[in-house]
Amino acid sequence: MSDTVLKLGKYEFKSRLFVGTGKYQTLDIMKQALEASGAEVITVAVRRANIGGKPGESLLDHIDKDKYTILPNTAGCYSADEAVRTAFLAREMGISDMVKLEVLGDEDTLLPDPVDTLKATETLVKEGFTVLVYTSDDPIIAKRLQDAGATSVMPAGSPIGSGQGVLNPNNIRIILETLSVPIIVDAGVGTASDVSIAMELGCEGVLLNTGIALAKDPIKMAKAMKLACESGRLAYLSGRIPRKLYAKASSPLKDF
């Protein structure tokens, strides 16, 4: 099977790894990690980017906008109204009409609020946004979000920043089988193998931040994530052998 570009509404990307910009020790390390990741899409939390501040004070001033597509996200929003306002701010500032929508339920778990997430998705779609929506791995709410017009549904592999990887691959498989929009695993990635697992399941991409930013060597980890995303995608396209209970010789049983 040959691969194609990743299409998200009117946008097209070759890289299927999306990376964030938070938690880095320095801006220089962030820049080097972004480069090593090979990512084309960089997420920025609108509420934390100091948009509209003095030159040099905004995080956006330290990202090459000619090289990367900026994906504003509504991280830190706890209601549909707050998330919608944040998305509008990003669009009005000329950042992008493609937005990663997050509507969280509480500060302890950082799990998405399914009701307000759906409400915000419906509103933003009607207002012409390209909505990539963060959700749980519940196949039912994932389908509802697709039906509401989401361009991509982004189920969590595990809780945000937990580094636990893909805890419920069966639910991700159901979502992949049920939905037709691109599925991008978002949250919980701790290391390269987590990325490979998500991609081998058939996901269209992976979005991560903490797994790179808080690694002992973020730059090396960024490269590892890049290679894992590429190898996992290639393995998926190649088609793995079926799992079997008993051994089967790799050499012919006859004509030795």
Side-chain angles (χ1 to χ4, degrees):
M1 297 174 63
S2 60
D3 205 358
T4 58
V5 298
L6 172 59
K7 295 184 178 181
L8 297 172
K10 64 183 180 182
Y11 300 91
E12 294 186 355
F13 306 104
K14 293 180 180 179
S15 172
R16 295 173 180 272
L17 184 66
F18 295 46
V19 296
T21 51
K23 302 181 180 179
Y24 288 94
Q25 289 185 351
T26 68
L27 288 171
D28 184 60
I29 292 176
M30 180 195 75
K31 290 179 182 179
Q32 292 184 65
L34 296 183
E35 176 71 25
S37 74
E40 296 175 75
V41 181
I42 306 300
T43 68
V44 174
V46 177
R47 298 185 69 211
R48 301 167 186 158
N50 194 24
I51 295 174
K54 295 180 180 179
E57 291 184 350
S58 172
L59 178 61
L60 295 176
D61 295 331
H62 300 276
I63 299 174
D64 187 347
K65 302 176 190 63
D66 293 327
K67 186 173 185 178
Y68 303 110
T69 295
I70 305 299
L71 175 63
N73 70 64
T74 63
C77 293
Y78 289 85
S79 71
D81 290 342
E82 186 180 16
V84 168
R85 286 196 302 271
T86 302
F88 267 97
L89 174 61
R91 187 166 73 175
E92 289 168 4
M93 293 295 295
I95 302 175
S96 180
D97 62 356
M98 180 171 65
V99 62
K100 179 197 168 188
L101 174 64
E102 290 184 24
V103 186
L104 303 178
D106 66 72
E107 296 182 0
D108 293 325
T109 66
L110 298 182
L111 291 172
D113 181 322
V115 176
D116 272 30
T117 296
L118 181 59
K119 179 181 176 182
T121 299
E122 293 170 339
T123 299
L124 292 175
V125 168
K126 289 178 182 177
E127 294 293 340
F129 285 84
T130 299
V131 183
L132 284 57
V133 56
Y134 164 69
T135 182
S136 68
D137 61 5
D138 178 358
I140 303 303
I141 187 62
K143 182 64 165 57
R144 293 286 184 89
L145 292 168
Q146 174 181 269
D147 293 345
T151 298
S152 172
V153 174
M154 309 176 76
S158 53
I160 292 174
S162 70
Q164 297 183 65
V166 179
L167 290 181
N168 196 341
N170 288 335
N171 270 24
I172 301 295
R173 287 178 58 194
I174 293 171
I175 291 172
L176 287 165
E177 292 176 3
T178 306
L179 275 60
S180 58
V181 298
I183 304 303
I184 300 173
V185 162
D186 176 15
V189 169
T191 190
S193 59
D194 299 331
V195 175
S196 287
I197 288 170
M199 297 305 294
E200 288 175 18
L201 287 171
C203 294
E204 293 278 4
V206 173
L207 190 152
L208 61 95
N209 181 186
T210 306
I212 292 177
L214 296 188
K216 290 183 179 179
D217 189 328
I219 299 164
K220 286 182 180 177
M221 183 61 80
K223 184 175 181 180
M225 297 296 194
K226 171 183 182 292
L227 296 174
C229 188
E230 293 172 354
S231 65
R233 178 67 176 176
L234 185 58
Y236 167 71
L237 294 174
S238 301
R240 64 159 291 139
I241 64 172
R243 291 180 172 88
K244 296 181 179 180
L245 181 61
Y246 295 101
K248 184 175 182 180
S250 56
S251 300
L253 297 178
K254 297 181 180 179
D255 302 324
F256 279 100

